[in-house]
């Protein structure tokens, strides 16, 4: 047994050639991943990176081609029934529920599938309906709900078996900003109950706001796993200096100094950003600006988005 | 006991869905028309010995039609509404969910028996006398079970096949003949009769007729045959659905094609 919530070693998944897809496709190519219990671990990557394939394998609905994966200490192939009784999966889609029947009927049905007896199932259903804030709409058909509400039903469905490990597959895709914020707040509350979450997303703000650690994957390969703050440091990107300048001469001096990769104007007029070529040159850049009489300046590490874009290169968010 | 709980929950889910989409049970609207057609022919013909066929053949046809229709679409519908992965990833067996849903539809489709009876009594003023009500009720119950078991097998078979529509279309009229629904199996050529006996409906048809005659010898073992054939269908269906689950987890797709 291991203390890790998820332990993945050398995981490969190859989709064999079929009609319509004449060539075999490697979705995961030797992934290693550790998820520490009691936190939200983000899985970042563009569409087609292999995030959903990994979640499918961890939630036992897809077999790996090679390698091993353990969830809460149980092998997803050898002990899939043990895994299934301990996990919940939340899909980021309006589908995946019985749209024509009520929220309550959906949850009661899934409660039975997770082995909850009638009374326990009813109690758990009512508890979750209350928890996700749908008490007023519990008897409405799922198809009558807004996207944000449907996503709450998905979350309730994922929690029906009281799982210690929850997989969230792009749960806020398509939600408006308010609904997404509500959903994230709800996740924060659930995290306090000691559950572990693996969140796949390509929303960098979401990952930065929710996750303790993030793993970046692309084309089936793990690029890095790190603390959200460490991601910036690990990449060792040149630090940035934001400053106010009214004189173009200062900008010319900076560009000609060899200390910066570039100087760009920010949204606010007269506000600029210089990217130092190295940590060492950052001090020289600040000194140069101070010598020119500029005192309104600040430094900042690269954002997660900048790190992410550098890691996945030009593909960015593209498919 | 959990499997019974899952079957019951699936049954309730199907009833709830059918209430929202009554068109799923369109057969309840068309079955009386079939009954009227059969009864008209019988009345014109004037032969009272075919009364049972005229009254209950439409109901048996409706049941078989529903089984084919359901079997073809049950797992595909789950896939279409993206609930299939959730079902496979749950601790319960997909086969129990499919069987539970099918029981609900077959149970609702059994109302066609009532419709046919009412049509014969009230519209055509015919004296439909069930001489052995116990035999009739037991036959109905065991036939519904066998129908649900067979539909479960069809659900697994169809999702693994490349051409569901071809299967569905070719399994209607020939099976009404093989099932002794339109004419008693004893009237078929002798070489065809052994084939009919592996199809539970042939025994059910005979039992329905026997329940309306003064003599109904050997009904108990004939009922047992229907139950065994239904159970065989159910077991076969559960095995096939397990194969579907293995295929989905191995290939990421339920389709053969």
């Amino acid at each position: 047994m291991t203390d890790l919530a998820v332990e993945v070693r050398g995981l490969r998944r190859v989709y064999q050639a079929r009609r319509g897809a004449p060539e075999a496709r490697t979705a995961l190519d030797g992934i290693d991943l550790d998820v520490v219990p009691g936190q939200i671990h983000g899985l970042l990557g563009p569409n087609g990176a292999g995030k959903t394939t990994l979640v499918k394998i961890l939630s036992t609905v897809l077999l790996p081609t090679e390698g091993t994966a353990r969830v809460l200490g149980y092998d997803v192939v050898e002990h899939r029934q043990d895994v299934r009784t301990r996990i919940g999966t939340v899909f980021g889609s309006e589908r995946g529920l019985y749209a024509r029947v009520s929220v309550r009927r959906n949850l009661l049905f899934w409660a039975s599938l997770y082995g909850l007896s009638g009374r326990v199932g009813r109690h758990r259903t009512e508890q979750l309906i209350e928890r996700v804030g749908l008490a007023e709409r519990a008897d409405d058909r799922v198809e009558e709900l807004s996207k944000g509400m449907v996503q709450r039903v998905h979350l309730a469905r994922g929690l029906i078996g009281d799982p210690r490990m929850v997989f969230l597959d792009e749960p806020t895709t398509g939600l408006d900003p308010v609904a997404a914020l509500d959903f994230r707040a709800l996740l924060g509350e659930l995290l306090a109950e000691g559950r572990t979450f693996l969140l796949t997303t390509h929303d960098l703000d979401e990952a930065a706001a929710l996750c303790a650690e993030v793993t970046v994957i692309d084309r089936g390969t793990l690029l890095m796993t790190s603390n959200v703050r460490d991601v910036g440091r690990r990449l060792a990107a040149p630090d940035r200096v934001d400053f106010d300048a009214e004189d173009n001469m200062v900008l010319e001096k900076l560009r000609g100094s060899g200390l910066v990769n570039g100087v760009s104007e920010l949204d606010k007029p007269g506000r600029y950003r210089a990217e130092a070529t190295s940590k060492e040159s950052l001090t020289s850049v600040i000194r140069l600006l101070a010598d020119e009489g500029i005192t309104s300046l600040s430094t900042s590490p690269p954002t997660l988005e900048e790190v992410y874009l550098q890691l996945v290169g030009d593909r960015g968010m593209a498919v | 006991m959990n499997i019974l709980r899952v079957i019951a929950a699936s049954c309730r889910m199907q009833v709830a869905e059918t209430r929202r989409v009554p068109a799923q049970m369109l057969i309840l609207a068309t079955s009386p028309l079939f009954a009227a057609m059969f009864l008209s022919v019988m009345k014109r013909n004037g032969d009272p010995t075919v009364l049972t066929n005229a009254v209950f053949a439409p109901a048996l046809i409706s049941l078989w039609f529903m089984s084919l229709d359901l079997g073809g679409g049950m797992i595909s519908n789950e896939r279409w509404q993206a609930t299939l992965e959730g079902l496979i990833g749950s601790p319960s067996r997909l086969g129990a969910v499919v069987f539970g849903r099918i029981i609900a539809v077959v149970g609702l489709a059994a109302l066609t028996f009532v419709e046919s009876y009412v049509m014969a009594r009230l519209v055509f003023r015919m004296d439909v006398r069930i001489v052995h009500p116990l035999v009739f009720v037991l036959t109905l119950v065991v036939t519904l079970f066998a129908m649900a078991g067979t539909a479960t097998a069809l659900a697994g078979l169809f999702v693994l096949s490349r051409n569901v529509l071809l299967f569905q279309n070719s399994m209607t009229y020939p099976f009404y003949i093989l099932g002794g629904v339109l004419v008693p199996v004893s009237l078929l050529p002798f070489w065809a009769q052994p084939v009919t006996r592996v199809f539970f409906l042939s025994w059910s048809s005979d039992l329905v007729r026997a329940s309306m005659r003064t003599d109904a010898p050997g009904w108990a073992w004939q009922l047992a045959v229907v139950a065994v054939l239904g159970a065989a269908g159910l077991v076969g269906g559960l095995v096939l659905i397990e194969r579907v689950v293995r295929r989905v987890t191995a290939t990421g797709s339920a389709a053969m094609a």
Side-chain angles (χ1 to χ4, degrees):
Chain A
M1 288 284 175
T2 170
D3 290 336
L4 292 170
V6 173
E7 186 180 9
V8 173
R9 295 290 176 266
L11 201 68
R12 285 190 84 233
R13 171 68 211 195
V14 179
Y15 290 103
Q16 294 304 323
R18 318 172 45 228
R19 197 185 299 174
E23 287 181 13
R25 185 173 65 83
T26 303
L28 293 176
D29 195 6
I31 294 272
D32 291 337
L33 175 69
D34 291 342
V35 174
V36 175
Q39 67 175 31
I40 301 180
H41 190 111
L43 198 56
L44 275 169
N47 291 336
K51 306 186 295 291
T52 298
T53 297
L54 181 56
V55 167
K56 282 184 177 181
I57 290 174
L58 295 175
S59 55
T60 75
V61 298
L62 190 66
L63 288 171
T65 307
E66 278 178 39
T68 61
R70 300 174 81 83
V71 175
L72 300 171
Y74 295 97
D75 188 280
V76 296
V77 178
E78 300 294 322
H79 304 111
R80 67 176 66 175
Q81 200 63 9
D82 290 307
V83 175
R84 286 173 180 172
T85 55
R86 289 168 173 81
I87 64 165
T89 308
V90 178
F91 301 105
S93 157
E94 285 178 89
R95 296 162 71 223
L97 294 165
Y98 295 98
R100 287 166 177 155
V101 301
S102 70
V103 172
R104 183 175 278 118
R105 171 59 54 203
N106 264 280
L107 294 180
L108 285 169
F109 172 71
W110 290 104
S112 298
L113 263 61
Y114 277 80
L116 274 61
S117 66
R119 200 155 52 92
V120 177
R122 282 193 294 275
H123 176 69
R124 182 90 184 127
T125 295
E126 297 307 321
Q127 201 180 31
L128 282 170
I129 285 172
E130 194 70 38
R131 186 71 199 264
V132 299
L134 289 174
E136 303 282 312
R137 309 292 302 267
D139 291 316
D140 289 359
R141 295 197 297 266
V142 169
E143 64 189 0
E144 295 172 335
L145 304 180
S146 67
K147 278 184 182 177
M149 288 177 181
V150 170
Q151 208 46 40
R152 285 162 176 260
V153 184
H154 270 296
L155 183 60
R157 190 193 74 81
L159 295 170
I160 198 82
D162 197 17
R164 307 320 298 158
M165 176 80 220
V166 184
F167 298 105
L168 304 162
D169 191 12
E170 310 218 358
T172 54
T173 299
L175 295 192
D176 63 66
V178 176
L181 270 177
D182 282 351
F183 191 83
R184 287 169 199 160
L186 194 54
L187 279 188
E189 290 173 22
L190 293 166
L191 184 66
E193 295 172 1
R195 301 177 205 277
T196 307
F197 295 87
L198 181 65
L199 167 76
T200 79
T201 182
H202 52 225
D203 183 334
L204 302 156
D205 291 336
E206 183 169 86
L210 288 174
C211 302
E213 282 194 309
V214 289
T215 292
V216 183
I217 65 171
D218 188 34
R219 293 190 174 99
T221 306
L222 191 146
L223 300 180
M224 68 181 301
T225 294
S226 188
N227 179 293
V228 170
R229 286 184 181 175
D230 286 348
V231 171
R233 290 191 209 117
R234 284 274 301 273
L235 195 68
D239 280 30
R240 298 100 44 98
V241 184
D242 294 350
F243 59 95
D244 291 325
E246 291 170 2
D247 188 353
N248 279 343
M249 286 293 288
V250 178
L251 306 181
E252 292 307 315
K253 267 192 177 174
L254 261 179
R255 287 183 178 124
S257 66
L259 297 170
V260 298
N261 288 326
V263 180
S264 54
E265 188 167 12
L266 297 176
D267 292 342
K268 188 179 160 192
R271 185 80 176 162
Y272 296 90
R273 171 170 294 169
E275 288 186 11
T277 53
S278 66
K279 294 269 182 196
E280 292 70 31
S281 60
L282 180 68
T283 314
S284 305
V285 171
I286 294 170
R287 189 173 297 127
L288 188 152
L289 290 170
D291 290 347
E292 295 296 324
I294 294 171
T295 51
S296 171
L297 53 83
S298 61
T299 60
S300 59
T303 63
L304 185 57
E305 182 170 4
E306 287 164 333
V307 172
Y308 178 88
L309 287 174
Q310 289 198 35
L311 284 168
V312 301
D314 294 336
R315 264 166 45 81
M317 300 295 179
V319 176
Chain B
M1 287 297 101
N2 192 47
I3 193 161
L4 294 179
R5 194 179 298 132
V6 172
I7 290 171
S10 306
C11 200
R12 284 194 293 271
M13 172 58 83
Q14 183 63 46
V15 171
E17 282 200 315
T18 303
R19 281 179 56 199
R20 299 291 189 187
V21 193
Q24 285 182 356
M25 296 306 293
L26 198 63
I27 200 82
L28 293 178
T30 57
S31 182
L33 303 177
F34 269 110
M37 185 181 75
F38 278 73
L39 288 164
S40 300
V41 171
M42 182 247 148
K43 199 167 188 176
R44 177 78 179 163
N45 174 270
D47 181 357
T49 61
V50 296
L51 175 64
T52 319
N53 283 22
V55 176
F56 293 115
L60 289 170
I61 286 173
S62 300
L63 271 180
W64 180 245
F65 179 81
M66 282 303 293
S67 299
L68 280 177
D69 191 39
L70 264 179
M74 186 64 72
I75 295 176
S76 301
N77 282 345
E78 299 286 2
R79 187 171 45 185
W80 179 80
Q81 58 190 349
T83 44
L84 185 61
E85 282 183 354
L87 294 175
I88 289 174
S90 81
S92 297
R93 289 190 179 276
L94 178 62
V97 175
V98 171
F99 183 61
R101 279 176 161 270
I102 286 174
I103 282 180
V105 179
V106 169
L108 290 169
L111 290 173
T112 54
F113 277 90
V114 178
E115 289 180 328
S116 295
Y117 182 80
V118 168
M119 180 68 81
R121 289 296 300 258
L122 300 184
V123 179
F124 286 83
R125 303 283 175 193
M126 288 177 175
D127 183 20
V128 184
R129 193 171 299 158
I130 298 171
V131 182
H132 302 286
L134 178 67
V135 176
F136 182 80
V137 170
L138 287 177
T139 299
L140 194 57
V141 170
V142 177
T143 298
L144 292 180
F145 163 74
M147 193 68 80
T150 306
T152 305
L154 293 174
L157 188 68
F158 285 178
V159 81
L160 287 170
S161 70
R162 290 182 192 276
N163 198 333
V164 175
L165 277 179
L166 186 69
F167 262 105
Q168 282 177 316
N169 290 334
S170 59
M171 287 177 77
T172 51
Y173 199 79
F175 279 74
Y176 304 149
I177 300 291
L178 289 174
V181 173
L182 298 174
V183 290
V185 168
S186 57
L187 296 181
L188 296 179
F190 74 95
W191 52 264
Q193 291 183 23
V195 181
T196 66
R197 289 310 181 187
V198 295
F199 185 34
F200 76 92
L201 214 46
S202 67
W203 300 91
S204 298
S205 305
D206 285 353
L207 278 164
V208 169
R209 287 188 198 96
S211 71
M212 299 178 80
R213 288 196 307 260
T214 49
D215 58 325
W219 61 269
W221 71 266
Q222 289 183 60
L223 263 183
V225 172
V226 177
V228 167
L229 289 173
L234 176 59
V235 170
L238 295 177
V239 169
L240 284 172
I241 290 171
E242 212 42 45
R243 279 193 62 187
V244 172
V245 170
R246 282 207 298 273
R247 180 181 296 279
V248 171
T249 53
T251 66
S253 166
M256 278 288 287

